[in-house]
Amino acid sequence: MQNLFDGHVHIGQFNSRYFRPEVIAQTLLEIGVTRWVFSSTSSVTLGWGAQVKDVRAHLKVAWRESLPLLWVTKALLNSSSCLAQLEELPFIGIKLHGYLEPWNPHGKPIYRVFEVAAQHRLPILLHTGGCSRSNAGRYLQVCRDFPSVRVILAHGRPIIGALRVLATCPNTYVDTAFMPAADVCRVVRHHGAERVIFGSDLPIHKHFFPKQSIAQSWEIDVAALKAALSPAEWSIISTVTGARVYA
């Protein structure tokens, strides 16, 4: 069986729905995903304690397969000058969401997070799109200022800005979460499959497509990408790039 790396998975509270960490882990295993990166959406609304509880519950089911990200909120950053929380669980990277929280792309708080990432040699999964402050192009300067930090522009939105950042900053990548297949192909055409990580955003599809099972949504996304890419490109996106970036 082919190894499958999913670079964008969530657990926990999302709007009115709670996605149980144990269920998400079991679903991924049943689908056949062999390695994945995950973070807890509970972090934004319920805080640090909820994040810890979610991550531990998920790792209990799939500690070999799953790689947790520390979701850094403004409150978490303000509570610790050096993000000591990185030592509490086996976090392998940082998640920032500039749409759910007002992270100024040029402000001191986000630069503090990047400094911590550089110090600990951690990648950052950075939400892009949804509003002007979180558009991919707005992060060009901070990505350029920290060339040692691997930055994944989740969703690659808008695509023009994402392409500009990729062209300027060799330390940047996109993931395919909710990206149209045509946009993924544009990135591959201009920068190669080595700059793209497959990411499903599982189980957030359930919020938008409640009649689909989580597994069905995942399979639909994979089928669309496989149809648009060559077998070699799909193999790189779904197995190689993520494993290298999150190594």
Side-chain angles (χ1 to χ4, degrees):
M1 183 180 69
Q2 179 191 12
N3 289 330
L4 287 172
F5 189 101
D6 190 333
H8 197 143
V9 171
H10 291 301
I11 57 175
Q13 192 72 39
F14 183 77
N15 290 342
S16 61
R17 187 186 295 267
Y18 182 73
F19 293 105
R20 290 179 55 204
E22 306 91 337
V23 172
I24 300 305
Q26 191 60 44
T27 300
L28 286 160
L29 292 171
E30 291 172 359
I31 290 171
V33 182
T34 50
R35 200 81 162 147
W36 63 85
V37 175
F38 74 98
S39 58
S40 169
T41 49
S42 301
S43 313
V44 177
T45 55
L46 301 178
W48 169 241
Q51 179 174 185
V52 170
K53 182 179 179 180
D54 286 348
V55 170
R56 284 178 173 160
H58 193 82
L59 289 173
K60 189 174 182 180
V61 176
W63 64 271
R64 290 186 181 90
E65 298 86 0
S66 56
L67 304 168
L69 299 178
L70 173 64
W71 190 309
V72 178
T73 62
K74 289 287 192 71
L76 190 65
L77 181 65
N78 291 335
S79 72
S80 173
S81 60
C82 61
L83 289 180
Q85 293 86 353
L86 284 166
E87 308 297 329
E88 293 196 30
L89 288 165
F91 293 113
I92 56 86
I94 290 171
K95 171 68 180 280
L96 284 177
H97 205 299
Y99 176 68
L100 294 180
E101 286 199 296
W103 291 94
N104 180 346
H106 307 111
K108 290 183 179 180
I110 199 169
Y111 270 73
R112 283 177 59 197
V113 176
F114 269 73
E115 287 165 1
V116 170
Q119 178 185 351
H120 292 271
R121 303 180 67 179
L122 297 173
I124 294 178
L125 179 60
L126 190 60
H127 172 91
T128 64
C131 63
S132 61
R133 70 168 179 266
S134 59
N135 283 348
R138 298 290 305 279
Y139 296 110
L140 191 152
Q141 188 62 53
V142 70
C143 292
R144 185 161 52 190
D145 287 344
F146 290 89
S148 67
V149 177
R150 293 153 286 162
V151 181
I152 303 90
L153 303 170
H155 316 295
R157 294 177 186 161
I159 187 61
I160 293 299
L163 288 170
R164 186 168 69 251
V165 177
L166 289 167
T168 307
C169 307
N171 56 316
T172 58
Y173 306 81
V174 298
D175 76 23
T176 66
F178 282 105
M179 274 187 80
D183 286 353
V184 175
C185 289
R186 289 182 69 179
V187 175
V188 171
R189 184 167 64 250
H190 288 285
H191 300 289
E194 296 80 6
R195 302 291 291 281
V196 183
I197 299 171
F198 170 68
S200 67
D201 219 345
L202 181 152
I204 304 304
H205 295 74
K206 195 70 176 173
H207 176 72
F208 301 102
F209 309 104
K211 293 184 179 180
Q212 290 179 2
S213 71
I214 293 170
Q216 284 174 331
S217 297
W218 192 93
E219 290 162 359
I220 289 168
D221 283 357
V222 168
L225 289 173
K226 282 185 172 181
L229 300 166
S230 71
E233 290 166 344
W234 167 248
S235 178
I236 292 170
I237 286 171
S238 63
T239 62
V240 178
T241 312
R244 186 181 73 247
V245 171
Y246 286 103

